[in-house]
Amino acid sequence: MIIGIIGSGAMGAGIAQVVATAGHTVRLLDQNRQALDRAGKSIQGSLDKLTEKGKLTAEKSADIFGRLHLTQDIGAFNDCELVLEAIVEDLAVKQQLFREVEMLVPDTCILASNTSSLSIASIAAACQKPERFIGIHFFNPAPVMQLVEVIPAVQTRVGLAEEVRDLVQSWGKQPVLTKDTPGFIVNRVARPFYGEAIRILEEGIADMATIDWALTELGGFRMGPFTLMDFIGHDVNYRVTESVFTAFFFDPRFKPSFTQKRLFEAGYYGRKSGRGFYNYAEGAVPPEP
Ligand code: NAI
């Protein structure tokens, strides 16, 4: 299968690695040349690590990388059988992208979004053939995380969700079918998790490091909420919170916080920008409580 992936950031690069490893030819596109180069390097680095650990032979790693084609030319998508986008979490931008994509790809090509929170129905509505549209939501980092949410829209043709579920399973992932509601399963549960952690901080009940420490060391979570938000990126995470809050008709359970909004506005996106809740630029990894 030939798969086109648009957006070569954290998610697009990871998804490209997953599907190339599963044997598909991958066309990975980004509007930003540097992002594309970074993605190529990060995928190569990730394959090298797996080879060093003996989980992949050098030959297999070269085959996987050989199936990956980095491009800035959307015209290269004219033979794709599935196109999945992982660009900015902005409805209008995603809709515009699919209007362009649909003019190029074959009629049978499946169209999919990796959106964390936006309505699949509203992205599909921008398409001429919304019945071929579906949500395929990976988790970060995509090569490691097992779960993938598969989200049919009201317009999605009967049977496509099951086809996509089987396809995702063939990539070695654990798909779960979910309804097209804001944040689906995981990001809906995660909103109050992050929101409550920020409120605990704002109310002066405990500092970030203590909250992160308590949740990981005592609570059994793999990452504390502040470390996790910094890992996801506040540009992504703030937009997702705002989108889920709005989509739930301003339900206060999902209300964003000014603390996070200010990080977003300042460009303090977390690990990717060197500073978020924690300061990574100075090598200051999350402090011990
Ligand atoms: P990112 O900021 O790392 O990467 C986005 C990439 O898309 C950038 O390289 C940017 O240059 C490119 N881009 C933006 N607009 C474009 C356009 N019109 N055409 C081509 N390329 C374009 O973002 P990330 O974290 O990879 O997130 C991407 C999507 O995946 C978002 O919808 C996000 O909600 C979703 N997502 C993010 C997760 C996370 O933990 N970061 C987890 C699961 C889903």
Side-chain angles (χ1 to χ4, degrees):
M1 192 175 201
I2 303 173
I3 300 182
I5 294 174
I6 307 179
S8 70
M11 294 312 294
I15 297 166
Q17 184 182 328
V18 169
V19 295
T21 302
H24 301 293
T25 297
V26 185
R27 312 209 186 290
L28 178 61
L29 177 140
D30 203 292
Q31 62 186 13
N32 179 328
R33 184 73 236 176
Q34 284 156 344
L36 213 47
D37 292 342
R38 266 199 309 273
K41 285 198 189 101
S42 100
I43 295 169
Q44 185 66 75
S46 170
L47 294 173
D48 288 348
K49 264 192 208 147
L50 292 169
T51 310
E52 275 162 33
K53 286 185 190 162
K55 293 186 174 170
L56 212 59
T57 61
E59 195 188 1
K60 186 128 194 269
S61 164
D63 284 350
I64 295 168
F65 202 74
R67 283 194 285 273
L68 184 71
H69 307 277
L70 306 179
T71 181
Q72 287 204 280
D73 174 17
I74 192 112
F77 280 45
N78 64 0
D79 57 356
C80 285
E81 293 158 273
L82 165 66
V83 172
L84 172 68
E85 71 74 25
I87 64 165
V88 63
E89 187 76 342
D90 181 307
L91 177 61
V93 180
K94 288 191 195 286
Q95 286 177 324
Q96 182 52 33
L97 177 74
F98 281 110
R99 281 188 199 104
E100 289 166 30
V101 167
E102 223 184 5
M103 287 195 282
L104 290 161
V105 296
D107 278 357
T108 49
C109 178
I110 301 167
L111 303 177
S113 173
N114 185 53
T115 179
S116 307
S117 62
L118 298 170
S119 146
I120 305 299
S122 59
I123 310 175
C127 297
Q128 299 283 332
K129 294 183 187 304
E131 64 277 10
R132 56 159 145 179
F133 202 92
I134 193 154
I136 307 179
H137 181 231
F138 283 81
F139 292 83
N140 192 10
V144 176
M145 300 297 279
Q146 283 296 298
L147 183 65
V148 176
E149 292 172 331
V150 175
I151 314 122
V154 280
Q155 304 101 311
T156 307
R157 72 170 164 77
V158 173
L160 184 60
E162 290 72 20
E163 280 169 39
V164 168
R165 183 191 58 197
D166 294 348
L167 183 63
V168 168
Q169 205 150 27
S170 75
W171 299 339
K173 297 294 177 193
Q174 301 261 357
V176 60
L177 284 180
T178 161
K179 284 192 180 166
D180 183 16
T181 49
F184 319 120
I185 301 173
V186 174
N187 269 300
R188 178 161 169 187
V189 173
R191 287 314 106 195
F193 172 68
Y194 301 132
E196 223 36 56
I198 298 173
R199 267 188 285 280
I200 289 170
L201 177 73
E202 288 169 345
E203 290 169 17
I205 293 163
D207 61 27
M208 294 185 292
T210 305
I211 300 167
D212 273 352
W213 174 82
L215 270 285
T216 50
E217 294 300 316
L218 311 175
F221 285 76
R222 205 183 283 176
M223 278 189 194
F226 297 99
T227 308
L228 183 52
M229 282 185 276
D230 274 1
F231 179 67
I232 292 165
H234 295 287
D235 48 344
V236 173
N237 202 34
Y238 178 72
R239 282 199 183 95
V240 172
T241 309
E242 212 181 21
S243 144
V244 171
F245 177 58
T246 310
F248 271 115
F249 310 107
F250 306 101
D251 184 330
R253 285 182 300 159
F254 304 110
K255 196 174 170 191
S257 90
F258 284 114
T259 303
Q260 197 181 19
K261 185 163 194 248
R262 295 293 179 260
L263 291 179
F264 169 66
E265 289 165 344
Y268 292 171
Y269 295 157
R271 274 183 192 275
K272 67 169 105 170
S273 71
R275 184 164 174 183
F277 280 112
Y278 296 108
N279 189 348
Y280 302 90
E282 292 164 12
V285 287
E288 292 295 323

